[in-house]
Amino acid sequence: MLSSLAIEPDRLFFKGQEAYDAGDYIEAVEWYEQILEDGSYSAELYYNLGNAYYQQGDPGRAILNYRRAERLMPADADLKNNLRFVREQTGAEMPATNPVMKVLQAVSHSKWMWLVFACFILLPLLFLLLLFFSVSKAWWIRVAVVGGILLVLGLAGGHVTAPQNAPAEVVILNDNQAATFEPLAASKVHFTLPVGSVVIAEESLNGMTKVRSGKVGGWIPDNACEAVSLSGS
């Protein structure tokens, strides 16, 4: 195990990148994971970690970390391409998303919060300007309607993309993972999931997690999946 005593996250990240560039993907993963264990995370860290896991031959954890990075930089083209590439290789399933949620989730939480902040600052200033120049009532209505729409949109996007409001997604770590009808190892298999599939976790019991993929649900061992939660969230 690598030691990170008194080493800042930036230095650990640099060491991970050095190891990755040298083709030592196991060491790169260790450095990147150490940063997460120390309580720091970023979109770039999850992205690099996903790349390292993929090069190491672990598509499940690659998709897991790409999905985490996606929550922080949902519009990044390289990330989307890598995630799509690995999913196509494994046949991994993804949760269905309605069009409205898809649009809101295409923008990061920080950008939605900047929109809300801008509305709270700019709208009062605009109303003061309208009052100062004594403009027609139609201008008041236009500014109020547009400003209100932007504010509501920002609040909705911020709520949807907040880490604490993210769906309880888990990623399947094993290929052809069996999901059973009951939370028992000896229970009959209901369906199987390709490695890297992103499913919704509903409950845990007897060391097993009930997951839902589309309209079907089943039980898998707890250690067969990992949550798409961000470090510290």
Side-chain angles (χ1 to χ4, degrees), residues 119 123 126-127 130 137-152:
C119 286
L123 282 177
L126 286 173
F127 284 128
L130 294 176
K137 184 179 179 181
W139 274 103
W140 284 88
I141 295 174
R142 291 190 190 109
V143 171
V145 170
V146 173
I149 290 173
L150 290 175
L151 180 58
V152 170

Side-chain angles (χ1 to χ4, degrees), residues 1-5 12 15 26-32 34:
M1 176 60 67
L2 301 171
S3 174
S4 65
L5 187 62
L12 291 172
K15 286 180 176 292
I26 294 176
E27 183 177 331
V29 165
E30 289 182 348
W31 285 120
Y32 292 145
Q34 186 62 60

Side-chain angles (χ1 to χ4, degrees), residues 168 200-204 209-212 217-218:
I200 304 299
E202 295 187 334
E203 61 177 305
S204 293
T209 298
K210 186 178 183 181
V211 298
R212 181 161 297 279

Side-chain angles (χ1 to χ4, degrees), residues 50-203:
N51 289 340
Y53 270 122
Y54 175 76
Q55 294 293 348
Q56 199 174 308
D58 190 340
R61 288 183 173 82
I63 290 176
L64 171 67
N65 285 284
Y66 287 151
R67 192 68 168 171
R68 288 167 171 167
E70 196 174 35
R71 291 189 176 180
L72 298 171
M73 52 178 191
D76 187 84
D78 290 335
L79 170 60
K80 286 182 175 295
N81 288 336
N82 284 15
L83 180 55
R84 186 184 305 111
F85 177 76
V86 182
R87 282 178 53 206
E88 288 174 352
Q89 280 194 330
T90 64
E93 300 176 10
M94 297 288 284
T97 306
N98 69 60
V100 174
M101 292 290 287
K102 198 168 186 178
V103 170
L104 294 176
Q105 291 173 347
V107 179
S108 67
H109 179 69
S110 60
K111 289 181 179 178
W112 283 124
M113 290 297 93
W114 272 112
L115 176 59
V116 172
F117 177 76
C119 286
F120 277 119
I121 297 298
L122 294 178
L123 282 177
L125 292 177
L126 286 173
F127 284 128
L128 285 174
L129 286 173
L130 294 176
L131 186 63
F132 180 78
F133 288 106
S134 300
V135 298
S136 65
K137 184 179 179 181
W139 274 103
W140 284 88
I141 295 174
R142 291 190 190 109
V143 171
V145 170
V146 173
I149 290 173
L150 290 175
L151 180 58
V152 170
L153 186 63
L155 290 171
H159 176 77
V160 167
T161 56
Q164 65 270 24
N165 296 328
E169 293 180 345
V170 295
V171 173
I172 303 302
L173 302 178
N174 307 318
D175 199 14
N176 295 318
Q177 176 61 55
T180 59
F181 281 96
E182 301 294 336
L184 301 168
S187 178
K188 185 179 178 180
V189 174
H190 186 16
F191 59 93
T192 60
L193 291 162
V195 63
S197 293
V198 181
V199 294
I200 304 299
E202 295 187 334
E203 61 177 305

